[in-house]
Amino acid sequence: MTDMTEQIQALTDESKKLSRLIGEAKKQGLDTADELIARKKAVQASIAELKAKMASEQPDQVSVKQPTGSEAAPSAPAVTKAKRQPSELERLQALIPPVYPEPVELTEAAQSSGRYRCDVSQTPPAGWDDFVRQHPRATLYHESVWLKTVVDTMGHEIAYVACYLESAAEEQLQAVLPMIRQKSRLFGDIWTSIPLVNYGGALALDKNAEKHVLKAAADFARSSGARHLEVRGYHKQPTGWPERTDKVNMWLPLPADSETLWKGFSSKVRSQIRKGQQNEYESRIGGMELLDDYYRVFSENMRDLGTPVYGKSFFAGILTNFGSSARLIVIYCKGEPASCGFLVAQETGAVKLLEIPWASTRQAFNSLNMNMVMYWEILSHAADTGFDVFDFGRSSKDAGTYRFKKQWGAMPVQLYWHYALFQADELPAINNNNPKFKLLVAIWQRLPLCFANRLGPAIVKYIP
């Protein structure tokens, strides 16, 4: 049995290696991608065969002893109870990284001191990125290169809040929290950790350190004269601050290949994808060479929704600074860019996750199901290249986007947005549903695209 377990582990490692090779081959347009995919499928078939053999040899079934003698029913079959398989929800929960890492052994001097000190700076302190990359809840958005990209392209003020456990001999970094300031007459003066994306907040070694870094962030934001501090994340933080829980991220655990993924969809979803595939279309995944077409689709859709658009330089900055971790997908229908998505690849803990923070489809192509085609192309690519989870992004519970994502099999991961309020008693509501902005939305939808694209970046950079 041990030999089989070792064989399965070796094959699993080989499958992961092949996934990485497939991804590189596809990016470089190499002909070896198909051969690698075939090898991966053969490896996965071997894994499935070994697991089935193990299951047949293990006492995974519980036999129920039948009565004997006169009480026995003639030729009564043995009753077995199959070992329960984990539910989809349990699979998802197993993929969510822990809030804190494993307990860290502190030096004797640090343990005897136990004093925390928090610093706030405009540049990342020593050890920031190393601390972030080793934390199970870390995201790419906590790294200094992401924060610098936002500051450089939008001109915002930034604060790096770091918490240390100090002693006479040394200081040990215990928690970090990045936050960005957005100050305007229309939306007010606010600090957010982190704006523009769904993930942020404190990364800490334990709850005590998290409390200290959050308090330091709130004290700094209050002293700056801001209206409030918003802290985003997907765990309930130990602050006692007011919170919003009306938003969720939609995660889809991925199987080992696109063929298995396809079989798991409902007949309705498969039919909608096939309907889109009947049109003349082409799918491209790439980088800067697709930016113009991506931005054409994205900016047009944002204008039609009444939302100011990010500047093209913002997306260019991400593509430049993150290399293969940031990719664009554009679906062309009859030669025209029809649908698009911005893809961010990252690892949270041991989970390899592909996220789509921004996606759009031009209204003229909605009836042709190009949106369904795009998501199928993304999901099949993610499954075949070894991702564990596809993150569809944020939705309000039971909204149209929530139902769209749910039909693919995605499940909600609760988001917690906490607020330290300094000059208000009510939680902020900066969105298109706020009656205060309805007139502005209606006006924006009627703007010529060239004007919307010129004015949009100057406005949207102040919307968290």
Side-chain angles (χ1 to χ4, degrees), residues 27 34 73 97 102 116 134 138 145 176 182 221 224 247 283 286 369 382 397 425 453 460:
K27 290 172 191 173
D34 290 340
E102 292 296 319
Y116 289 93
Q134 293 172 17
V145 64
V176 299
Q182 297 162 293
S224 73
K247 303 288 185 182
S283 173
N369 281 24
K397 296 175 182 177
D425 296 325
N453 288 354
V460 74

Side-chain angles (χ1 to χ4, degrees), residues 220-237:
F220 177 81
R222 181 187 290 107
S223 67
S224 73
R227 182 178 178 85
H228 68 261
L229 164 64
E230 177 179 290
V231 179
R232 301 179 174 183
Y234 59 118
H235 77 277
K236 195 175 182 68
Q237 298 184 347

Side-chain angles (χ1 to χ4, degrees), residues 280-284 293-294 296-297 300 330-340 361-362 364-365 368 370:
E280 179 188 338
Y281 85 94
E282 178 186 3
S283 173
R284 298 183 195 170
D293 289 341
Y294 164 85
R296 178 182 173 186
V297 177
E300 183 178 314
V330 179
I331 304 297
Y332 298 84
C333 185
K334 301 176 182 178
E336 285 283 308
S339 289
C340 72
T361 297
R362 295 167 65 192
F365 296 93
L368 300 180
M370 286 298 102

Side-chain angles (χ1 to χ4, degrees), residues 262-406:
W262 176 264
K263 292 177 180 177
F265 294 148
S266 68
S267 58
K268 179 181 178 181
V269 168
R270 292 198 296 265
S271 175
Q272 290 174 327
I273 296 170
R274 290 193 187 102
K275 179 181 176 183
Q277 291 174 329
Q278 291 172 1
N279 300 290
E280 179 188 338
Y281 85 94
E282 178 186 3
S283 173
R284 298 183 195 170
I285 295 179
M288 199 71 74
E289 74 278 6
L290 297 178
L291 181 57
D292 287 344
D293 289 341
Y294 164 85
Y295 197 72
R296 178 182 173 186
V297 177
F298 183 73
S299 62
E300 183 178 314
N301 185 56
M302 290 298 101
R303 188 277 314 271
D304 292 343
L305 293 173
T307 301
V309 69
Y310 297 119
K312 191 186 292 187
S313 62
F314 171 60
F315 298 114
I318 302 173
L319 292 171
T320 299
N321 292 334
F322 289 95
S324 61
S325 294
R327 310 297 285 169
L328 299 175
I329 181 169
V330 179
I331 304 297
Y332 298 84
C333 185
K334 301 176 182 178
E336 285 283 308
S339 289
C340 72
F342 200 106
L343 304 175
V344 176
Q346 55 185 312
E347 292 192 22
T348 58
V351 176
K352 191 176 179 184
L353 181 145
L354 185 65
E355 180 187 3
I356 185 165
W358 303 285
S360 285
T361 297
R362 295 167 65 192
Q363 288 187 0
F365 296 93
N366 282 339
S367 62
L368 300 180
N369 281 24
M370 286 298 102
N371 201 34
M372 297 295 292
V373 169
M374 180 184 72
Y375 275 98
W376 163 244
E377 293 288 339
I378 295 171
L379 291 169
S380 60
H381 165 77
D384 287 334
T385 52
F387 285 93
D388 302 305
V389 172
F390 181 73
D391 183 350
F392 279 87
R394 184 174 77 232
S395 291
S396 297
K397 296 175 182 177
D398 296 324
T401 56
Y402 176 93
R403 293 190 292 273
F404 171 82
K405 297 165 187 177
K406 191 175 181 181

